[in-house]
């Protein structure tokens, strides 16, 4: 990891843990099975919310090393009521883990072959110049298919189009009409489009909707009752803490706008899931224990392709569904996600000794840099990069 990133993480640790501000009336925390030696003072990281970078945070740490639960910040900026620790939120690209697990289950059943070209399943949708892209390459971001065209380049333009409904087939046609970014299997470029195509393959081989397949295979068996796919609905069903985004307002000034109501069809199988920290903690625990994807196919989620990143040239960081960082001297696997107003992450050591799930109501959830509060939580839970 580059020195600048390490320095940033070190600064985050100092600012967020060693010198966290005093608790505010909007702070609430419960803890259990915690030993001071094994579980860091995460409460200091989230104390002081709301602040400029985030209005709320919901956090769960679990595993054999101890457990901790906390929430901080406000439900909304109008009432300043305390954040609801059981609230639902937009999980963003954490959705990809559910999609990958569903595809791997179908692979275990012999209904999908990871080494088979995607075009073999979707000949009417994938053009000939992408004939060699395999299902595995869709899932580990080594396919070379560029992103689909979307309306808007700024957050203000995206906000103006927040209710636009995007059909997955049209997104695929838009992406595959372009030249490939690289020869499939030679580089890695993290994009949503591979998961959009993968979900369409799920629908083609099952004759069922992608959403119902995930519900039948994962949500219901694991009892994830607060996790659902919103479809074309722009509002979050059930209790949620409001998300806010810094942007240009109607009067020309820059400030926070409530962006809780926002359509997510542009993300679909790559980023539209709604969940809770309790549900995602259970999913993470069962997934890493081999209870969602079983046998050799689970290793696909913990195997990084040996190719460079397209932009940085660094070694690939994304596997099938997950990504990996070395923190505190050990491998930490997981997935982050961002939708306007919400940053989410699931993470765990491979052995499940320490899991982390958070939802941070970020005011710049899709910015170029990681949200400061989210960054401090990751470092506090696992330590600095090696």
């Amino acid at each position: 990891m580059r020195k600048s990133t390490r320095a940033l993480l070190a600064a985050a640790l100092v600012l967020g843990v060693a010198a966290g501000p005093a608790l505010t009336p909007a702070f609430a925390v419960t803890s259990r099975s915690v030993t001071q030696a094994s579980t860091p003072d995460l409460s200091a990281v989230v104390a002081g919310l709301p602040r400029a970078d985030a209005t709320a945070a919901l956090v769960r740490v679990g595993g054999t090393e101890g457990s901790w639960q906390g929430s901080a910040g406000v439900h909304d900026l109008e009432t300043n009521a305390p954040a609801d620790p059981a609230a639902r939120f937009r999980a963003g690209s954490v959705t990809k883990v559910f999609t990958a697990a569903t595809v791997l289950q179908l692979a275990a059943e012999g209904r999908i072959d990871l080494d088979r070209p995607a075009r073999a399943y979707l000949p009417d949708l994938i053009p000939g110049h992408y004939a060699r892209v395999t299902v595995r390459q869709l899932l580990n971001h080594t396919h070379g298919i560029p992103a689909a065209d979307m309306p808007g380049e700024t957050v203000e333009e995206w906000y103006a189009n927040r209710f636009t409904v995007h059909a997955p087939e049209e997104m695929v046609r838009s992406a595959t009409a372009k030249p490939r970014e690289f020869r499939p299997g030679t580089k890695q470029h993290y994009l949503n489009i591979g998961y959009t195509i993968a979900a369409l393959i799920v629908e083609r081989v099952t004759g069922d909707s992608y959403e119902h397949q995930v519900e039948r295979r994962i949500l219901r068996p694991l009892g994830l009752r607060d996790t659902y796919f919103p479809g074309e609905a722009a509002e979050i069903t059930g209790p949620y803490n409001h998300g806010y985004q810094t942007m240009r307002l109607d009067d020309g000034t820059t400030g926070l706008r409530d962006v809780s109501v926002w359509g997510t069809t542009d993300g679909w199988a790559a980023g539209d899931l709604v969940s809770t920290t309790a549900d995602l903690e259970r999913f993470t625990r069962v997934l890493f224990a081999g209870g969602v994807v079983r046998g050799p196919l689970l290793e696909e989620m913990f195997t990084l392709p040996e190719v460079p990143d397209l932009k940085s040239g660094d070694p690939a960081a994304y596997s099938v569904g997950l990504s990996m960082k070395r923190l505190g001297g050990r491998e930490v696997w997981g997935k982050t996600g961002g939708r306007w107003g919400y940053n989410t992450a699931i993470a765990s050591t491979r052995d499940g000794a320490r899991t982390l799930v958070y939802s941070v109501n970020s005011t710049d959830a899709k910015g170029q840099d990681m949200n400061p509060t989210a960054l401090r939580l990751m470092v506090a839970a696992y330590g600095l990069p090696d």
Side-chain angles (χ1 to χ4, degrees):
M1 186 168 289
R2 291 185 297 273
K3 289 184 178 179
S4 59
T5 303
R6 185 180 179 89
L8 178 62
L9 288 170
L13 183 63
V14 172
L15 293 174
V17 180
L23 306 188
T24 68
F27 180 83
V29 61
T30 60
S31 61
R32 51 184 170 78
S33 305
V34 175
T35 63
Q36 188 172 5
S38 65
T39 304
D41 185 12
L42 288 156
S43 61
V45 178
V46 295
L49 294 176
R51 51 180 174 248
D53 70 293
T55 59
L58 315 178
V59 188
R60 283 176 175 255
V61 172
T64 57
E65 295 179 354
S67 57
W68 185 93
Q69 299 175 22
S71 64
V74 296
H75 170 267
D76 64 88
L77 293 177
E78 292 185 4
T79 67
N80 284 320
D84 179 357
R88 292 174 172 174
F89 49 81
R90 302 194 188 280
S93 286
V94 172
T95 309
K96 292 183 177 71
V97 190
F98 289 78
T99 304
T102 299
V103 173
L104 291 174
Q105 285 191 10
L106 288 165
E109 296 166 9
R111 303 171 75 178
I112 291 179
D113 184 342
L114 298 182
D115 293 314
R116 193 179 185 193
R119 191 168 190 263
Y121 298 98
L122 301 169
D124 53 326
L125 193 59
I126 306 298
H129 59 282
Y130 287 111
R132 295 187 178 182
V133 173
T134 67
V135 176
R136 180 183 284 104
Q137 290 166 350
L138 294 175
L139 297 175
N140 67 16
H141 306 282
T142 62
H143 47 75
I145 302 172
D149 290 328
M150 291 291 178
E153 296 182 358
T154 66
V155 61
E156 291 82 10
E157 291 170 337
W158 274 94
Y159 181 76
N161 290 283
R162 66 193 181 281
F163 300 130
T164 300
V165 175
H166 303 272
E169 295 85 357
E170 290 306 312
M171 289 192 287
V172 174
R173 291 189 182 96
S174 169
T176 57
K178 305 174 188 179
R180 67 188 188 189
E181 294 187 322
F182 50 83
R183 182 164 54 88
T186 62
K187 297 181 182 180
Q188 186 173 77
H189 187 194
Y190 178 83
L191 291 171
N192 285 348
I193 192 63
Y195 279 73
T196 303
I197 298 172
L200 289 171
I201 292 174
V202 169
E203 295 193 333
R204 187 65 59 91
V205 301
T206 63
D208 191 12
S209 72
Y210 155 78
E211 293 88 347
H212 186 252
Q213 282 292 306
V214 177
E215 179 184 359
R216 183 177 73 82
R217 293 171 175 274
I218 301 176
L219 304 189
R220 284 189 299 196
L222 269 61
L224 308 183
R225 296 180 178 85
D226 288 311
T227 303
Y228 75 97
F229 293 94
E232 296 182 6
E235 294 187 10
I236 299 174
T237 301
Y240 64 90
N241 298 315
H242 289 234
Y244 296 87
Q245 171 67 33
T246 301
M247 67 171 73
R248 188 177 65 254
L249 304 178
D250 295 338
D251 62 3
T253 63
T254 297
L256 293 179
R257 186 189 294 274
D258 191 328
V259 293
S260 308
V261 179
W262 194 311
T264 57
T265 55
D266 61 297
W268 193 45
D272 71 344
L273 198 71
V274 173
S275 192
T276 63
T277 55
D279 274 10
L280 290 183
E281 182 180 56
R282 175 167 175 75
F283 171 68
T284 303
R285 184 174 66 251
V286 177
L287 176 70
F288 278 62
V292 178
V293 180
R294 296 174 174 83
L297 284 168
L298 180 60
E299 292 305 310
E300 296 285 343
M301 305 190 84
F302 298 101
T303 302
L304 298 175
E306 296 181 358
V307 298
D309 180 82
L310 175 64
K311 294 184 177 181
S312 68
D314 294 337
Y318 296 94
S319 62
V320 171
L322 300 175
S323 63
M324 191 276 287
K325 294 285 186 184
R326 286 195 59 85
L327 301 172
R330 53 185 174 177
E331 291 185 355
V332 177
W333 293 84
K335 189 72 191 73
T336 59
R339 296 293 308 186
W340 302 112
Y342 301 89
N343 275 134
T344 302
I346 64 172
S348 180
T349 53
R350 181 70 193 272
D351 60 3
R354 174 164 294 170
T355 63
L356 168 68
V357 175
Y358 66 69
S359 170
V360 174
N361 292 56
S362 168
T363 58
D364 188 18
K366 297 177 77 67
Q368 291 185 345
D369 297 322
M370 189 173 180
N371 174 266
T373 296
L375 181 67
R376 293 165 186 163
L377 287 169
M378 191 68 71
V379 173
Y382 293 107
L384 290 169
D386 294 0

